[in-house]
Amino acid sequence: MPKRDHSRRTDPTAVMVRIVVAGDGTLTVTVDGAPYLPPEYSPPWRRASFPAIVDAISQQAGRTLRVDVIETDGRTITDFYTPRPPRRTDAHPSPQTVEAAPGAPTMQPAPPPRLMQFAGSGMIPGEEVAVAIIIAHAESGPDGIARALIDSRYLEHSPTGEAVLLGRISATVCVGKPQ
């Protein structure tokens, strides 16, 4: 009786992702042979970027990924990732379809974001200014002051409650607590 081959076979429609790890920890990523680069103004991909890279490629491709990671010592690690089922985008069901049982608690919609402003001076007029945890970019005004509106829910994840503005050209860094 022949033994079954339990090894994974490459799906002929799978997207081939190749990640080469350099000695300094940076990653070179290709998708089906084409370079996959980090977003504009971002630092090079690093090991910590791996989950974000795989998630982004998976969402864009919508198909199974075959990911080959080539380590600095020449070892190759291969894994397969299948796309997640799409999430429901209907956050607010229509009132006609929602019927609560008598005495059952009703669902409340999520509260609107509370925006807080953070400003820093010393920027070059008109330069792009990064807001960290980089959730957005702002542009400084003609007076060199950058203002960013930050959803307070992001700050709940920060132990200090601080935000950072980083001038991409001037390298000006402003750290403080939004108000």
Side-chain angles (χ1 to χ4, degrees):
M1 181 182 318
K3 294 191 179 216
R4 288 187 179 169
D5 180 11
H6 292 286
S7 64
R8 284 192 156 165
R9 287 186 170 76
T10 305
D11 179 354
T13 63
V15 175
M16 180 64 194
V17 179
R18 181 181 169 109
I19 300 175
V20 179
V21 182
D24 63 355
T26 59
L27 307 176
T28 302
V29 182
T30 60
V31 177
D32 287 335
Y36 186 79
L37 303 173
E40 189 177 18
Y41 302 116
S42 295
W45 296 121
R46 307 220 30 104
R47 285 184 185 270
S49 310
F50 182 83
I53 294 168
V54 173
D55 281 347
I57 295 171
S58 179
Q59 286 176 358
Q60 290 172 0
R63 298 186 319 208
T64 300
L65 304 182
R66 175 187 167 155
V67 180
D68 289 342
V69 178
I70 295 89
E71 290 289 341
T72 55
D73 62 2
R75 289 179 300 135
T76 300
I77 302 163
T78 301
D79 205 349
F80 291 81
Y81 295 88
T82 54
R84 295 180 189 157
R87 289 184 172 186
R88 284 190 55 191
T89 57
D90 187 14
H92 303 287
S94 63
Q96 298 88 358
T97 60
V98 176
E99 292 182 23
T106 58
M107 291 180 52
Q108 298 294 323
R114 279 191 357 222
L115 298 178
M116 303 168 81
Q117 179 177 272
F118 179 46
S121 61
M123 313 296 175
I124 295 173
E127 82 173 293
E128 187 171 350
V129 177
V131 178
I133 311 173
I134 300 181
I135 56 172
H137 279 87
E139 188 175 296
S140 62
D143 54 1
I145 296 177
R147 290 178 176 79
L149 293 176
I150 302 169
D151 186 332
S152 63
R153 293 177 290 187
Y154 290 117
L155 295 173
E156 292 169 4
H157 300 287
S158 167
T160 62
E162 294 178 308
V164 178
L165 297 177
L166 170 66
R168 296 277 189 185
I169 299 170
S170 65
T172 300
V173 177
C174 300
V175 179
K177 292 190 177 193
Q179 303 174 15

